[in-house]
Amino acid sequence: MIPDKVDIVIVGAGMAGASLAAMVAPHASVLVIEGEDQPGYHATGRSAAFWEETYGGPGVFPLTAASGPYLRDGGFLSFRGAMNIGREADRAKVEAFVARFARLGAEIELLDRAAMERHVPWLREDWTCASWEPSCSDIDVGALHAHFLAEAKGQGAGIRVRSRLVAAERGAGGWTLTLADGARLGCDVLVDAAGAWADDIARIAGAAPLGIVPLRRTVVQLRTEPAATDTLPLTLDINGGFYFKPESGRVWLSPHDETPSAPCDAAPEELDVAVAVERLQGVVDWRIEAVERKWAGLRSFAPDRLPVYGFDARVPGFFWCAGQGGFGIQTAPAASALAAGLLLNRNFAIADGIDPAAYAPARFG
């Protein structure tokens, strides 16, 4: 049953909404509403599932680095290692990449060609330089998401699926929300953790959209000869053309596509699948025996490609928790702690030292 009024309603039960609910529920009454039949149906359930300190760039690094201990201590990580690889023309770019993140405190170094071959057998000869991140790890996304949902529920948060928000009105007593099934409820604070639908939720609440754009990302699962071994690292193009990693004897490969899309149940395009396969064939001398699976998800970015956490600059009681791009899972512990601190005006240790101004909605004017 939906309560008549709670302190906080969070729209979206993916990783962003679930982790924020887990942080906030010990201190306030919380209800999470989700439009789909199950939490985590969209971006959370379609992640390539890795934690890499450099992924997302320097602006995301503080959130990723601060999340590492939580993820490791919770048993959600298994070490993988990561190489960002380049051709000889990219050497200066690779060296600058290593230097930039080493200054920030990332565990990163340069690799020579011989070391690259040891990590990725059958690597084609024109790939001659790489960075190496030994701490890069696979994330058990399902376990992490379930953990946050369980923590939220254990602290009294409600979670309601098939509950799409269709109207939100702000009055003297707070928000009155209307769901697609006609149910109505009240809250003091409305949190927008709706992923690809973040700007749509803002419009419903009368807030100005921030320009959060969903971009489609494709992943394919390949059977190759030789078969992918568990020791292969996450391997990424320094120029953003692909990444791949092993998964249960198969290869998970993405062409690193970012195709603008309306918010939807994303599906892969055959052209993107073909591009992915073609790019892999230019990297390793493996024979591709079959494309076994293919899927796509929507990664949502604000105009500056940094996430957005904080109260709206103009609409009282409307809080943004959106724009996590492709790094929302690997940053979830620290990001949710930072957002919860802003939401409740209290300190959460995980987010100590992270400047919230970098992620504030007000930065867009």
Side-chain angles (χ1 to χ4, degrees):
M1 175 180 291
I2 295 180
D4 292 334
K5 185 174 182 181
V6 294
D7 296 326
I8 299 166
V9 167
I10 299 173
V11 182
M15 192 67 78
S19 58
L20 182 58
M23 292 289 177
V24 171
H27 312 285
S29 57
V30 178
L31 175 68
V32 182
I33 58 174
E34 167 60 52
E36 301 294 349
D37 292 344
Q38 64 189 52
Y41 176 75
H42 290 287
T44 297
R46 309 179 195 199
S47 168
F50 55 78
W51 179 90
E52 185 201 8
E53 286 185 296
T54 63
Y55 201 66
V60 175
F61 174 81
L63 297 170
T64 303
S67 296
Y70 184 102
L71 295 171
R72 282 191 291 271
D73 293 347
F76 302 112
L77 299 183
S78 54
F79 286 106
R80 168 65 52 206
M83 289 198 312
N84 276 270
I85 66 174
R87 297 181 172 91
E88 196 57 33
D90 302 315
R91 184 171 294 277
K93 188 172 187 177
V94 172
E95 291 174 350
F97 179 82
V98 170
R100 180 167 64 251
F101 282 99
R103 286 194 297 270
L104 292 175
E107 188 178 358
I108 189 169
E109 61 183 295
L110 288 168
L111 287 186
D112 60 20
R113 170 68 196 192
M116 294 167 66
E117 289 179 351
R118 287 194 295 271
H119 287 298
V120 181
W122 306 93
L123 185 68
R124 292 192 183 275
E125 292 181 358
D126 53 333
W127 298 93
T128 59
C129 53
S131 66
W132 174 245
E133 297 173 62
S135 63
C136 175
S137 300
D138 293 337
I139 304 175
D140 188 336
V141 178
L144 180 63
H145 189 221
H147 161 76
F148 283 131
L149 290 172
E151 286 287 305
K153 291 178 182 177
Q155 296 292 337
I159 299 173
R160 173 170 167 156
V161 298
R162 296 183 292 279
S163 298
R164 182 169 56 88
L165 182 69
V166 296
E169 297 177 3
R170 177 79 181 177
W175 291 97
T176 298
L177 310 179
T178 304
L179 305 182
D181 63 1
R184 291 167 63 85
L185 64 147
C187 63
D188 295 321
V189 177
L190 178 62
V191 175
D192 184 353
W197 286 263
D199 271 2
D200 290 346
I201 295 300
R203 292 186 186 95
I204 288 172
L210 298 182
I212 294 177
V213 177
L215 303 176
R216 190 178 68 242
R217 171 61 51 87
T218 305
V219 182
V220 297
Q221 178 176 297
L222 305 175
R223 187 175 76 246
T224 62
E225 174 58 42
T229 65
D230 287 342
T231 58
L232 282 173
L234 170 68
T235 304
L236 309 96
D237 177 11
I238 193 66
N239 293 308
F242 60 81
Y243 58 79
F244 61 88
K245 57 174 276 192
E247 180 67 29
S248 304
R250 301 296 191 256
V251 174
W252 279 10
L253 165 70
S254 173
H256 213 270
D257 50 329
E258 292 189 342
T259 305
S261 170
C264 65
D265 186 355
E269 298 284 344
E270 289 303 323
L271 177 59
D272 294 324
V273 173
V275 167
V277 170
E278 180 183 25
R279 290 179 181 174
L280 182 67
Q281 290 174 324
V283 180
V284 288
D285 190 19
W286 301 342
R287 183 162 55 88
I288 297 172
E289 296 186 329
V291 176
E292 295 185 330
R293 292 176 57 208
K294 51 193 173 182
W295 65 95
L298 298 180
R299 300 145 42 95
S300 302
F301 290 92
D304 60 3
R305 297 182 72 89
L306 293 180
V308 186
Y309 303 117
F311 281 100
D312 188 81
R314 295 181 177 85
V315 177
F318 186 80
F319 188 94
W320 292 87
C321 181
Q324 289 89 355
F327 39 79
I329 292 169
Q330 70 172 34
T331 61
S336 60
L338 179 71
L342 295 169
L343 190 55
L344 300 173
N345 192 27
R346 61 184 300 142
N347 179 64
F348 288 81
I350 302 172
D352 280 350
I354 299 175
D355 181 7
Y359 314 112
R363 71 187 190 268
F364 299 111

